[in-house]
Amino acid sequence: MEVELLKKLVSTPSHFGEEKEISEFITSFLEPYAKVETQEVEGFGSNVIAYLKGVKNTVVLNGHMDTVGLSAGWTKNPWGQIEGDKFYGLGSADMKGGLAALMSVFAEIAELSRRERPNVIFTAVVDEEGYSRGAWELIKSKKLEKADVVLVGEPTNEKLMLGARGRFVIQVKAFGKKAHAARPENGINAIEELSKLLANLNRAKLKKHRKLGKGSFCTLEIEGKADGLSVPEYAKAIVDRHTVVGEDWEFVRETLEKLAQKLEIKAKLKIEKFKRPTPEMLPYYVKENLKVVKIFKRIFKQKTGKDVEVTYGKSVGDFNYFGTYLGKPTLVFGPIGGNWHSADEWVSISSVKRVKEIYANFLKALV
């Protein structure tokens, strides 16, 4: 079932903001198995939510329906092509392979009696590749408040991800002093002063977390322009700042202010968050001694004969929202694949099948 679902999902275009068709397919697929509802996310189609009643724990199964756009350089059919164990297609790894496994296991678990399964809430969301509007709408609605654990099917190459760094996008504006460009000493060059700060971001203070490692800076954009033959008096930069637990906005902002003082930046700086329609993505991690984590590790070993490798995400996703704003243990585990967000993206068919079986055994073990 999971392979047929993968074919259908990949053959259905679903760039973020254009998820209506795939949302309707997932809804129609789930309806024979459970109570299903849709949740409108303005301008982005609808989340799909399905409920199975069981006993003991409540598990949220989560995947996103959207993909990034089609890039140049594809040599395979971006709407689905099989070669050996590889299934090529846009979004096949990120994350329609995991989504197919989640849908398939939901259908399988639905065939069990209530006493043989936990309570399960299946969620397929929109806009993960944009601003996580779908995940945020789910959390705001309080439909997941009774959850004991969230299992996200993002591609992890069959590693168990127990946390991830967070992210702020920072806007830094520099205000200098205009003067004739032939006499630059009479002015303050906003472009040069801001560039000085950006060139020394590696000197900024970063905290280190024993699981998540260290945060990072990356300049994404800079702009500035002179008014004729003048010293430019204004410049602006957009900077990515990935964070670890313990690095909040005040820490990030103050770190940049202190660096500017150390570098004797002459321009006046305004440091603020880049505006986004949803809250910032905060870092989180899950303790390995939690019962649900121990159960997952046991199931993985029973299925594969080896210990699962534990990893932590360098970047962000909907899992950050579930791990922080929802405040539930969030496990991320998905199939083997490659070329995410690039040409000839692929996912392993055997891995999708194996991941689905691990999901099924994990759910049964929670009863």
Side-chain angles (χ1 to χ4, degrees):
M1 178 187 289
E2 52 270 25
V3 178
E4 292 306 309
L5 282 169
L6 177 58
K7 291 178 182 177
K8 177 61 179 177
L9 292 171
V10 171
S11 69
T12 306
S14 56
H15 185 271
F16 62 95
E18 301 170 6
E19 297 100 322
K20 184 176 185 292
E21 184 179 354
I22 198 169
S23 174
E24 290 175 347
F25 164 70
I26 292 171
T27 301
S28 65
F29 171 83
L30 295 172
E31 280 178 343
Y33 300 102
K35 174 189 172 184
V36 185
E37 64 182 59
T38 57
Q39 180 184 53
E40 184 178 354
V41 181
E42 188 175 355
F44 286 81
S46 299
N47 292 334
V48 182
I49 311 165
Y51 304 87
L52 283 176
K53 289 186 177 180
V55 294
K56 295 187 178 179
N57 294 283
T58 296
V59 184
V60 174
L61 302 179
N62 174 263
H64 66 85
M65 300 178 278
D66 59 314
T67 71
V68 295
L70 191 61
S71 64
W74 277 81
T75 64
K76 313 295 183 183
N77 183 353
W79 310 117
Q81 180 176 332
I82 296 175
E83 290 187 8
D85 187 49
K86 289 185 177 181
F87 186 100
Y88 292 94
L90 177 62
S92 56
D94 186 14
M95 62 157 286
K96 291 181 177 180
L99 186 58
L102 291 168
M103 292 168 66
S104 180
V105 78
F106 186 86
E108 179 179 315
I109 292 295
E111 300 296 334
L112 301 176
S113 67
R114 285 182 59 172
R115 67 178 179 274
E116 295 178 291
R117 68 190 183 212
N119 299 292
V120 181
I121 305 174
F122 171 91
T123 60
V125 297
V126 301
D127 190 45
E128 191 274 347
E129 301 290 4
Y131 285 102
S132 291
R133 289 175 175 89
W136 181 239
E137 195 67 35
L138 261 183
I139 292 169
K140 284 196 304 179
S141 70
K142 301 189 184 301
K143 294 180 183 293
L144 308 183
E145 280 200 327
K146 293 183 179 179
D148 295 296
V149 60
V150 180
L151 177 60
V152 181
E154 285 274 18
T156 63
N157 290 327
E158 293 189 32
K159 299 175 184 178
L160 178 59
M161 198 175 95
L162 293 179
R165 299 194 302 178
R167 182 187 187 219
F168 289 111
V169 179
I170 309 166
Q171 182 172 265
V172 185
K173 295 179 180 178
F175 301 90
K177 180 182 177 184
K178 193 173 181 179
H180 197 288
R183 300 176 182 83
E185 67 277 5
N186 293 336
I188 298 175
N189 192 313
I191 294 175
E192 292 178 2
E193 293 300 303
L194 180 55
S195 297
K196 193 187 302 182
L197 177 72
L198 300 176
N200 286 279
L201 288 175
N202 62 338
R203 296 173 59 185
K205 183 180 179 182
L206 300 173
K207 289 188 177 181
K208 187 173 183 179
H209 187 270
R210 64 187 185 89
K211 297 292 186 182
L212 303 180
K214 294 180 73 173
S216 60
F217 281 100
C218 182
T219 302
L220 304 178
E221 179 183 319
I222 183 169
E223 62 180 55
K225 187 177 181 181
D227 178 20
L229 191 59
S230 303
V231 173
E233 61 183 339
Y234 174 77
K236 182 180 76 172
I238 304 298
V239 179
D240 170 88
R241 172 67 158 95
H242 275 72
T243 60
V244 300
V245 174
E247 294 183 317
D248 59 13
W249 171 246
E250 290 305 311
F251 176 85
V252 170
R253 181 179 54 77
E254 289 175 6
T255 294
L256 286 176
E257 290 173 348
K258 290 177 181 177
L259 178 62
Q261 291 173 4
K262 189 174 183 179
L263 295 170
E264 298 181 350
I265 301 295
K266 297 174 184 176
K268 182 180 179 181
L269 300 180
K270 185 177 182 181
I271 301 168
E272 56 192 355
K273 298 177 192 175
F274 184 81
K275 290 182 180 179
R276 50 178 289 149
T278 50
E280 278 75 27
M281 306 185 106
L282 305 177
Y284 82 99
Y285 81 102
V286 180
K287 295 178 180 178
E288 287 192 53
N289 65 354
L290 288 184
K291 185 177 179 180
V292 289
V293 176
K294 290 180 178 178
I295 291 173
F296 193 96
K297 287 181 174 181
R298 173 169 56 83
I299 294 301
F300 183 92
K301 189 161 189 176
Q302 287 174 355
K303 176 61 185 172
T304 66
K306 57 185 180 182
D307 293 328
V308 67
E309 181 180 342
V310 173
T311 188
Y312 299 89
K314 287 288 187 183
S315 194
V316 293
D318 286 347
F319 38 80
N320 290 83
Y321 277 22
F322 298 126
T324 56
Y325 297 106
L326 185 63
K328 305 296 183 178
T330 300
L331 283 56
V332 186
F333 181 81
I336 295 167
N339 298 338
W340 309 345
H341 291 210
S342 60
D344 293 345
E345 182 179 356
W346 63 274
V347 69
S348 162
I349 295 171
S350 60
S351 181
V352 171
K353 293 178 178 179
R354 188 163 49 249
V355 163
K356 179 251 185 173
E357 291 175 9
I358 291 170
Y359 288 164
N361 291 339
F362 173 64
L363 291 173
K364 293 171 188 176
L366 292 175
V367 175

